[in-house]
Amino acid sequence: MMYYNSVFVTLLIVIASLDGKPTSLLKNEPERCCFPKQYSSKIIISVGYALPDSETYSSYSSYNVTYDADRGMIGMKGLSITLPDQQKSNMWIIENIKDEIMYTIDQDLKTCVQSKLISSTVVCIPDTAEYFGSSTYGYGDKKIVADTWIINNNRNLNYVTVSRDGLCVPLTGNIFARTPAGVSTMTTTDFAPEIDDPSVFDMPDECKKLN
């Protein structure tokens, strides 16, 4: 189950085959944007999937996420709860984007699993994305306009909502997967365009033994 948890989290953090540059707009579309090159945030993830052999997987997780384009890495630490048995695991995930390798660490069991990244990292909203619509977050004078884009990569249907304030903050993500069939949702909070904890990229001893 640790493997499935890391794979489904990765699907929400990375989406396959995105272009590296914003492209020209269609009529009445807002400007496409690129995510910050460095940021820290908290993400809340809900997952429900139908696995082979008629099994199912569902979980609720909260991660502190750090992304650094210069390092080519994503680091995540947090608590994952597998449903319906309410099994809790303190997880740590390190993604080396350049080498296309992911390390999934169970901090309770002191174990590390190495696997290949299944997708390319998000850089910009691609020209293949279809504009879905806008919405407003906040209240009173504290409002952020956001845009939702649909990205269809033939394996997954992704609804990605980003802020229109120049930062292009990934506010929410919803993935409808075909194989395995399932749904994943992600909500971003506590966003900061900087790296709060660079130690999240440091490889623990249990992973160093794999190299």
Side-chain angles (χ1 to χ4, degrees):
M1 287 301 180
M2 180 175 71
Y3 170 76
Y4 285 118
N5 177 77
S6 61
V7 167
F8 298 141
V9 168
T10 302
L11 281 173
L12 284 162
I13 302 300
V14 297
I15 300 174
S17 302
L18 298 193
D19 296 334
K21 297 180 181 179
T23 59
S24 59
L25 304 179
L26 299 177
K27 187 176 181 180
N28 298 324
E29 285 187 356
E31 184 177 355
R32 287 171 167 84
C33 61
C34 295
F35 292 4
K37 291 186 176 181
Q38 294 181 334
Y39 67 83
S40 300
S41 69
K42 176 179 285 187
I43 58 173
I44 306 297
I45 298 175
S46 297
V47 168
Y49 278 82
L51 303 178
D53 301 324
S54 300
E55 294 184 5
T56 60
Y57 175 87
S58 58
S59 67
Y60 181 87
S61 307
S62 175
Y63 287 92
N64 292 314
V65 178
T66 302
Y67 171 65
D68 187 353
D70 294 334
R71 286 185 175 91
M73 299 185 75
I74 297 173
M76 295 177 277
K77 282 187 177 182
L79 178 66
S80 178
I81 304 175
T82 304
L83 306 173
D85 57 358
Q86 298 290 311
Q87 180 179 346
K88 298 180 180 180
S89 300
N90 288 291
M91 305 300 296
W92 180 5
I93 299 172
I94 302 173
E95 297 176 13
N96 187 321
I97 299 167
K98 294 179 180 178
D99 295 336
E100 298 183 342
I101 295 175
M102 176 173 64
Y103 298 91
T104 304
I105 303 102
D106 187 318
Q107 297 186 88
D108 301 316
L109 300 177
K110 303 297 182 183
T111 59
C112 178
V113 175
Q114 178 180 318
S115 57
K116 183 176 177 60
L117 276 177
I118 58 176
S119 300
S120 301
T121 187
V122 164
V123 177
C124 301
I125 299 298
D127 59 346
T128 54
E130 177 186 353
Y131 182 60
F132 182 79
S134 65
S135 55
T136 302
Y137 287 70
Y139 61 92
D141 295 331
K142 300 178 180 179
K143 294 181 179 179
I144 297 177
V145 177
D147 297 304
T148 299
W149 300 85
I150 304 173
I151 303 171
N152 189 344
N153 63 12
N154 296 321
R155 290 181 297 175
N156 306 307
L157 188 62
N158 310 282
Y159 287 75
V160 180
T161 300
V162 297
S163 65
R164 201 194 290 179
D165 59 356
L167 286 176
C168 197
V169 177
L171 298 171
T172 64
N174 296 272
I175 292 181
F176 299 87
R178 295 179 174 89
T179 305
V183 177
S184 301
T185 65
M186 179 188 74
T187 302
T188 299
T189 65
D190 302 286
F191 179 89
E194 59 191 18
I195 297 175
D196 289 340
D197 180 17
S199 68
V200 73
F201 302 123
D202 296 338
M203 200 75 64
D205 291 339
E206 48 265 41
C207 294
K208 292 178 181 178
K209 298 175 183 178
L210 301 176
N211 298 322

